[in-house]
Amino acid sequence: MQNPIIDAILKRRSSPLLDSPAPNSQQLEMLVRCASRAADHGNLRPWRFLYLENEHRERLSEALVKMAESEDPALPDFKRTKMAQKPYRAPAILVAISRNIENPKVPVLEQQMATAAAVQNLLLAAFSMGLGAYWRTGSACNSQIVKSALAVQSAETIVGFIYLGAAKQQALLPKSTDDWSNYLQIGLTEK
Ligand SMILES: Cc1cc2nc3c(=O)[nH]c(=O)nc-3n(C[C@H](O)[C@H](O)[C@H](O)COP(=O)(O)O)c2cc1C
């Protein structure tokens, strides 16, 4: 059966090694449009995306260093350099943010789940457009220093830093040892 959507889902891989160029404006628009078609309880549109390209990554780099220094006042130089370089692993980063809107019917966790679903749509769209993408998290997501530097409100959640660019190497096919039947139980076991 030929189905381009199923084909892309089955073949999608992340690209940890990314090079220039960053997505162009049409590609960026398409990524965000695809992300915004995620399942969304209450149609709240709980997500927002912050695009950091070229020199805009500098603010993130500085904040990561400050965060690491706050965690370890005696931070060795090599660790400082490592933190500072993280945002430069790709020409662009899309910060995926859950806005965590107050709502009587839709808990914040569900809004974060919807934002994660939006990120997965975005990864699939990037893959099928021939762009490389890599979802990263880590302590930076919860750091007040990082959130302030990026003007992310305290009540919001950073769901991920999506590194974007040109994949340095062809995405590998998903491992054939990954047997889908391990993840499925049909019905309930006997009482
Ligand atoms: C919520 C979330 C957070 C992640 N954070 C990281 C991370 O901080 N660092 C990392 O190397 N991979 C992280 N990953 C995993 C990669 O994005 C990627 O999915 C993984 O390497 C598997 O590759 P694949 O997507 O090609 O199967 C994260 C994935 C998810 C879903």
Side-chain angles (χ1 to χ4, degrees), residues 80-149:
R80 185 175 292 105
T81 307
K82 194 175 164 199
M83 292 309 280
Q85 285 173 346
K86 279 183 187 252
Y88 301 108
R89 289 178 290 188
I93 299 172
L94 200 61
V95 188
I97 299 158
S98 171
R99 297 190 292 130
N100 299 342
I101 301 155
E102 260 187 58
N103 186 283
K105 286 201 179 139
V106 186
V108 157
L109 177 61
E110 289 191 10
Q111 299 181 40
Q112 293 164 356
M113 289 159 70
T115 305
V119 171
Q120 183 64 26
N121 270 9
L122 192 149
L123 294 181
L124 276 169
F127 180 78
S128 56
M129 287 158 65
L131 293 169
Y134 202 94
W135 186 347
R136 295 181 188 277
T137 47
S139 57
C141 288
N142 304 309
S143 159
Q144 199 47 56
I145 292 171
V146 171
K147 288 173 88 174
S148 302

Side-chain angles (χ1 to χ4, degrees), residues 4-187:
I5 297 173
I6 288 180
D7 203 44
I9 292 172
L10 292 178
K11 286 194 179 139
R12 184 206 64 80
R13 288 307 307 263
S14 302
S15 303
L17 302 175
L18 296 162
D19 235 334
S20 289
N24 62 35
S25 54
Q26 286 92 341
Q27 289 169 322
L28 181 60
E29 175 187 330
M30 195 47 73
L31 292 176
V32 174
R33 284 176 67 182
C34 289
S36 304
R37 287 300 306 121
D40 176 16
H41 191 178
N43 217 16
L44 289 183
R45 299 299 187 249
W47 47 73
R48 69 181 183 92
F49 298 97
L50 170 66
Y51 190 59
L52 304 175
E53 194 182 358
N54 302 321
E55 63 279 6
H56 292 142
R57 292 167 300 168
E58 201 173 316
R59 204 126 25 117
L60 177 58
S61 168
E62 287 165 7
L64 290 176
V65 170
K66 271 195 203 153
M67 175 189 85
E69 285 171 347
S70 75
E71 288 166 357
D72 176 6
L75 191 73
D77 273 350
F78 80 92
K79 280 200 181 161
R80 185 175 292 105
T81 307
K82 194 175 164 199
M83 292 309 280
Q85 285 173 346
K86 279 183 187 252
Y88 301 108
R89 289 178 290 188
I93 299 172
L94 200 61
V95 188
I97 299 158
S98 171
R99 297 190 292 130
N100 299 342
I101 301 155
E102 260 187 58
N103 186 283
K105 286 201 179 139
V106 186
V108 157
L109 177 61
E110 289 191 10
Q111 299 181 40
Q112 293 164 356
M113 289 159 70
T115 305
V119 171
Q120 183 64 26
N121 270 9
L122 192 149
L123 294 181
L124 276 169
F127 180 78
S128 56
M129 287 158 65
L131 293 169
Y134 202 94
W135 186 347
R136 295 181 188 277
T137 47
S139 57
C141 288
N142 304 309
S143 159
Q144 199 47 56
I145 292 171
V146 171
K147 288 173 88 174
S148 302
L150 303 180
V152 174
Q153 305 297 307
S154 316
E156 295 180 316
T157 304
I158 297 178
V159 166
F161 296 90
I162 317 305
Y163 284 62
L164 294 168
K168 271 193 196 168
Q169 61 194 39
Q170 177 107 35
L172 301 167
L173 282 175
K175 295 178 197 83
S176 57
T177 51
D178 195 13
D179 183 351
W180 63 271
S181 62
N182 291 333
Y183 314 121
L184 175 67
Q185 175 187 336
I186 296 176

